[in-house]
Amino acid sequence: MQQAIPYKSWPPLHTKAQQSFSLKVDDNPLVSPPKVVLREGEDMLNMVSENAVIVFARRGCCMSHVVKRLLLGLGVNPAVYEVDEKDEIGVVKELETLISNTGKDGKVLQFPAVFIGGSLFGGLDRVMATHISGELVPILKDAGALWL
Amino acid sequence: MNSPSAQFVTSRRMGVYDPIHQMSMWGENFKSNSNLNSPASLIVEDVKLDSQSEDASHGISGPSNQYDQEATKPVDKAQRRLAQNREAARKSRLRKKAYVQQLETSRLKLIQLEHELECARHQGSYIGGGLDAIHPGFPGAVNPGITTFEIEYGNWVEEQNRQICDLRNALNAHVTDMELRMLVENCRNHYFELFRMKETAAKADVFYVTSGMWKTSAERFFSWIGGIRPSELLKVLGPQLNPMTEQQSAKVVVLRDACLQAEDALWQGMERLQQTLAETVAASQLIEGSYIPQMAPAMKKLEALVEFVNEADHIREEALEQMFHILTIRQAARGLLALGEYFQRFRALSKLWATRSHEPA
């Protein structure tokens, strides 16, 4: 009998020597969202409040690429924070404290997670829906992510 | 006297089946009795018993001891015969059960295969290429989720044709907005139902959905991640929505641009997925004669494909919803009619195309 393929037990494609708060490197050097560098004493929650738009995504996730491209296409330069698999639970916990602070209870954090203007906006679904209905651009402008 | 008739009774019960079955049952008895007596000797013993009982009835005083001794032996043998008969009957029943079950499953398989053949014939699709998607794994295996979807889709198209007829009649008859609203609502919900069906089908076999296998050949030509591009549809059908106010026209243009942007973003994600999948597969190595241990990351990438299909349908759904916001009821009715007829024509085109190859040159 064939053994079931262990989905989680495969070794990572690239070995990582750096810390979990690592730099994100985009393919396209011309149009790349700003690299998120952690300064001494800074944490994720600060980043959320400091950036008009920030996307938390799993490393190598193709869905997060979609979100990035969509926002870039609108003229927004979102900050991107890439989460390693091993840090995922910790990141989720920390971000969920933000959700309860802003009173948006009942929203489960899913990656990719988009924060606009310091509060959780939603995932790819919500971004797509609001973009098509035309609500996204005004929201971005309000948050100061777009100037036109 | 009892034993032979009992055997006959059993075989009569089994008479429903072919004689071969009966023969095999008899064969069983032959085998089980081989250790003890042959049936021939059994029958002989019966005759002996009969004759003995007859003697006993005549001779009152007679050699009663001898009769007793001899009486127990035939009784034992009779008991044994009955037990063996019961055993044989039980085995026959079990074999019957297994046979019937086999027939049932084969029947179900046949229905499924016939249905798929029917669908494939209708669509005029190339069965060779379709088999890959319909029968994952070894030939003969049927994906029940996909079979269900195909049956449901057949019903969906029938209902769709009915709704298109209703819309056409209603618009020609100039019914009230109230009545039109009901038809529009039905049509709208009908489309949303299709999205739900596709979502389920994508979980069953994502490649079936991305290839648009349930669609007719001409429809499939326009397939973009499991369906048509919403921006494309808006471009083609937009003019048929006129007369519209300038405001409405502008909104439709804005909607189309938004769809284009969403589609492009999604497509870039797909290309990234393709790229990483290709890299993963290229990096796979043979480990102890098998690629499988290295395939796990590739498998994970393929799972992501389901999300892409869902997201593509999400864009379609949102675009449709937005159109309902922009248009009046009457315009929406006209739009839905145009949309329905558009695909009807493609289906007709596909059918025509499929039959044209059979015409003599």
Side-chain angles (χ1 to χ4, degrees):
Chain A
M1 278 287 272
Q2 264 185 0
Q3 259 193 335
I5 299 168
Y7 280 37
K8 292 282 184 195
S9 65
W10 50 275
L13 287 173
H14 314 286
T15 50
K16 292 182 188 54
Q18 63 257 55
Q19 234 192 355
S20 55
F21 299 147
S22 51
L23 302 177
K24 189 206 87 65
V25 179
D26 205 321
D27 297 334
N28 190 344
L30 297 170
V31 192
S32 63
K35 295 170 190 173
V36 179
V37 183
L38 231 58
R39 288 187 288 272
E40 199 65 48
E42 195 184 21
D43 64 341
M44 272 188 297
L45 307 182
N46 272 354
M47 282 195 302
V48 171
S49 49
E50 279 178 15
N51 288 290
V53 182
I54 179 164
V55 181
F56 289 86
R58 293 192 185 107
R59 192 178 295 277
C61 169
C62 297
M63 274 300 168
S64 67
H65 192 67
V66 177
V67 177
K68 279 183 254 168
R69 286 290 157 206
L70 188 60
L71 292 171
L72 284 169
L74 292 173
V76 177
N77 221 351
V80 178
Y81 183 102
E82 291 210 331
V83 182
D84 284 319
E85 208 177 326
K86 53 180 162 64
D87 305 318
E88 209 173 295
I89 304 172
V91 171
V92 171
K93 273 212 185 95
E94 227 184 305
L95 291 175
E96 276 179 347
T97 60
L98 268 175
I99 302 173
S100 45
N101 283 350
T102 54
K104 281 198 174 83
D105 293 274
K107 253 198 190 151
V108 181
L109 193 88
Q110 277 181 337
F111 292 117
V114 181
F115 284 77
I116 300 181
S119 57
L120 175 65
F121 183 71
L124 179 60
D125 264 4
R126 179 133 196 254
V127 172
M128 281 292 191
T130 49
H131 171 64
I132 293 193
S133 63
E135 295 163 2
L136 185 60
V137 169
I139 293 173
L140 289 169
K141 280 189 182 161
D142 278 345
L146 272 176
W147 306 278
L148 261 167
Chain B
M1 208 174 86
N2 286 327
S3 313
S5 57
Q7 268 203 354
F8 282 124
V9 165
T10 326
S11 50
R12 225 183 290 130
R13 250 188 269 137
M14 306 304 274
V16 186
Y17 305 98
D18 47 26
I20 302 167
H21 214 78
Q22 239 180 44
M23 291 303 182
S24 62
M25 185 203 77
W26 280 87
E28 274 287 330
N29 281 334
F30 271 96
K31 279 184 232 148
S32 55
N33 295 335
S34 58
N35 296 341
L36 311 160
N37 318 299
S38 63
S41 58
L42 282 176
I43 296 167
V44 169
E45 296 237 19
D46 292 343
V47 175
K48 257 196 226 158
L49 179 63
D50 284 348
S51 51
Q52 270 169 2
S53 56
E54 274 179 284
D55 286 340
S57 59
H58 289 312
I60 308 159
S61 52
S64 46
N65 263 355
Q66 191 197 9
Y67 173 69
D68 278 336
Q69 266 189 353
E70 286 185 339
T72 51
K73 270 197 274 177
V75 168
D76 276 342
K77 286 205 177 107
Q79 297 278 40
R80 209 186 307 136
R81 227 183 297 123
L82 283 171
Q84 282 163 358
N85 201 273
R86 273 197 296 275
E87 194 54 40
R90 194 178 70 86
K91 284 188 188 153
S92 272
R93 280 194 293 273
L94 287 173
R95 276 201 304 272
K96 168 185 176 179
K97 208 173 167 192
Y99 180 67
V100 170
Q101 272 178 346
Q102 210 183 24
L103 276 179
E104 285 289 301
T105 44
S106 300
R107 185 172 153 269
L108 276 172
K109 260 193 198 162
L110 185 66
I111 292 174
Q112 278 177 335
L113 282 171
E114 272 182 346
H115 174 80
E116 281 179 26
L117 207 61
E118 205 39 55
C119 288
R121 221 180 275 130
H122 272 311
Q123 296 168 14
S125 64
Y126 174 51
I127 296 185
L131 258 179
D132 209 347
I134 297 172
H135 300 284
F138 54 95
V142 176
N143 190 331
I146 296 302
T147 314
T148 310
F149 174 78
E150 289 189 328
I151 296 171
E152 284 178 351
Y153 182 69
N155 296 337
W156 188 90
V157 171
E158 276 179 35
E159 177 63 26
Q160 176 76 340
N161 290 335
R162 275 194 290 270
Q163 287 183 351
I164 291 170
C165 260
D166 288 343
L167 276 171
R168 199 181 293 128
N169 296 337
L171 283 168
N172 286 339
H174 304 289
V175 298
T176 62
D177 272 10
M178 252 340 207
E179 288 161 321
L180 217 50
R181 183 179 289 276
M182 214 172 58
L183 287 173
V184 166
E185 274 299 309
N186 283 346
C187 225
R188 179 169 159 270
N189 292 334
H190 198 57
Y191 276 110
F192 292 157
E193 205 184 294
L194 181 61
F195 289 129
R196 296 291 80 74
M197 281 161 54
K198 282 170 74 182
E199 199 178 335
T200 313
K203 287 197 194 93
D205 183 359
V206 71
F207 288 111
Y208 177 90
V209 178
T210 53
S211 316
M213 291 307 298
W214 70 95
K215 292 172 173 263
T216 59
S217 41
E219 282 176 288
R220 237 178 292 139
F221 181 46
F222 290 87
S223 192
W224 175 85
I225 313 184
I228 200 166
R229 269 187 185 248
S231 61
E232 192 61 42
L233 215 50
L234 285 170
K235 185 170 78 168
V236 171
L237 296 177
Q240 299 196 32
L241 294 168
N242 284 321
M244 277 196 289
T245 67
E246 264 197 54
Q247 223 183 12
Q248 285 177 320
S249 291
K251 280 189 183 168
V252 172
V253 169
V254 166
L255 176 62
R256 182 159 178 262
D257 283 344
C259 282
L260 263 171
Q261 283 170 323
E263 289 162 18
D264 282 344
L266 195 63
W267 190 249
Q268 290 200 41
M270 277 282 272
E271 287 189 325
R272 170 68 83 86
L273 182 66
Q274 273 187 335
Q275 190 188 341
T276 51
L277 182 64
E279 284 170 4
T280 308
V281 172
S284 282
Q285 289 159 16
L286 262 173
I287 290 181
E288 291 175 359
S290 167
Y291 285 114
I292 290 180
Q294 293 267 306
M295 290 294 196
M299 293 283 279
K300 220 171 181 176
K301 302 257 181 282
L302 289 181
E303 280 170 21
L305 199 53
V306 179
E307 291 177 50
F308 276 96
V309 170
N310 290 339
E311 205 55 53
D313 272 351
H314 186 59
I315 298 175
R316 292 182 186 107
E317 214 171 330
E318 289 298 321
L320 191 62
E321 196 61 33
Q322 190 63 11
M323 283 301 277
F324 283 121
H325 282 309
I326 298 173
L327 300 173
T328 64
I329 280 296
R330 204 152 286 268
Q331 286 167 329
R334 276 211 308 276
L336 285 168
L337 179 61
L339 180 62
E341 285 182 337
Y342 186 64
F343 285 113
Q344 261 184 342
R345 290 189 199 117
F346 269 115
R347 287 195 276 272
L349 181 64
S350 301
K351 227 176 227 173
L352 202 64
W353 181 255
T355 52
R356 117 232 169 269
S357 50
H358 303 310
E359 284 170 19

